[in-house]
């Protein structure tokens, strides 16, 4: 039996705490507003329609649409990465985070990506007070163990749980370190889709099930 106060619950960010496609749509809408203003050529809804219609390289489409040079694509990419995203937590995720706070579990975010971009996401979600372990800050991406080891050093002698969505890179390191891994399968429109059979043994279709799993570890029935 494991006391919830002794748990360190580590969340992935994209497609775990929120749907990553919401971030993509937010960035596209920002680009539409931004480019319409500076080029005085309205393309509102056009980039988004192209993306939703299957044009995944929406930056290439935008350059062609506005007859911009190829080098402009890099500028558009940075404008996209540095925009303040319009994203939010689901009610279920908020409920789980509230539960973990009440149970005095330590909650941490471990995510791959650029430091500024990921922090902008975390701020928009209202989670900026949580400890962040971002790959760019550590020069280490999953499945490397560096940040998982750092978490154990920062919060020693705890029971570690990692909740994430990508079986190709998320779980290798924590499983080798005997962490409990939980597959997040509640985002339906994932940026990257995977076979469910490749997810961890504990794979959940609703965030609220996290509470049930952790309470059983604690020996408490919900």
């Amino acid at each position: 039996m494991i006391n919830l106060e002794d748990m360190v619950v580590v969340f992935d960010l994209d497609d775990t705490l929120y749907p990553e496609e919401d971030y993509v749509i937010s960035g596209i809408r920002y680009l539409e507003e931004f480019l319409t203003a500076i080029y005085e050529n309205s393309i509102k809804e056009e980039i988004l329609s192209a993306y939703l219609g299957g044009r995944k390289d929406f930056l290439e489409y935008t350059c062609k649409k506005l007859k911009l040079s190829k080098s402009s694509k890099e500028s558009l990419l940075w404008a996209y990465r540095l925009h303040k995203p319009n994203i939010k937590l689901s009610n279920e995720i908020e409920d789980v985070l509230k539960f973990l706070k009440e149970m005095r579990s330590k909650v941490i975010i471990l995510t791959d990506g650029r430091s500024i971009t990921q922090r902008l996401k975390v701020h928009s979600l209202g989670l900026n007070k949580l400890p962040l372990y971002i790959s760019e800050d550590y020069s280490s991406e999953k499945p490397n163990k560096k940040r998982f080891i750092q978490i154990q050093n920062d919060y020693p002698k705890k029971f570690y749980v990692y909740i994430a969505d990508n079986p190709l890179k998320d779980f290798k390191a924590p499983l080798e370190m005997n962490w409990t891994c939980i597959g997040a399968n509640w985002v339906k429109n994932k940026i990257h889709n995977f076979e469910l059979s490749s997810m961890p043994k504990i794979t959940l279709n609703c965030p609220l099930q996290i509470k049930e799993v952790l309470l059983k570890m604690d020996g408490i029935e919900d």
Side-chain angles (χ1 to χ4, degrees), residues 85-141:
N86 181 20
I87 55 177
K88 63 180 182 179
L89 301 173
S90 68
N91 292 335
E92 290 83 1
I93 290 290
E94 286 187 337
D95 187 75
V96 169
L97 294 175
K98 180 181 178 182
F99 162 78
L100 292 172
K101 183 177 180 180
E102 291 173 348
M103 295 296 103
R104 298 183 180 179
S105 301
K106 189 68 181 179
V107 177
I108 291 170
I109 296 174
L110 187 153
T111 176
D112 280 358
R114 291 166 180 80
S115 182
I116 293 175
T117 300
Q118 298 304 89
R119 288 174 188 276
L120 284 168
K121 295 175 185 177
V122 168
H123 273 257
S124 292
L125 295 171
L127 302 177
N128 46 294
K129 292 185 179 180
L130 297 181
L132 301 176
Y133 292 76
I134 302 172
S135 59
E136 189 174 65
D137 293 338
Y138 290 84
S139 299
S140 172
E141 294 185 348

Side-chain angles (χ1 to χ4, degrees), residues 23 27 30-31 58-59 73-85 114-121 136:
Y23 174 78
Y30 169 79
L31 288 177
F58 57 86
L59 297 177
K73 185 176 180 180
E74 186 70 16
S75 298
L76 294 179
L77 178 58
W78 279 108
Y80 170 83
R81 287 172 176 166
L82 297 177
H83 88 282
K84 184 178 179 180
R114 291 166 180 80
S115 182
I116 293 175
T117 300
Q118 298 304 89
R119 288 174 188 276
L120 284 168
K121 295 175 185 177
E136 189 174 65

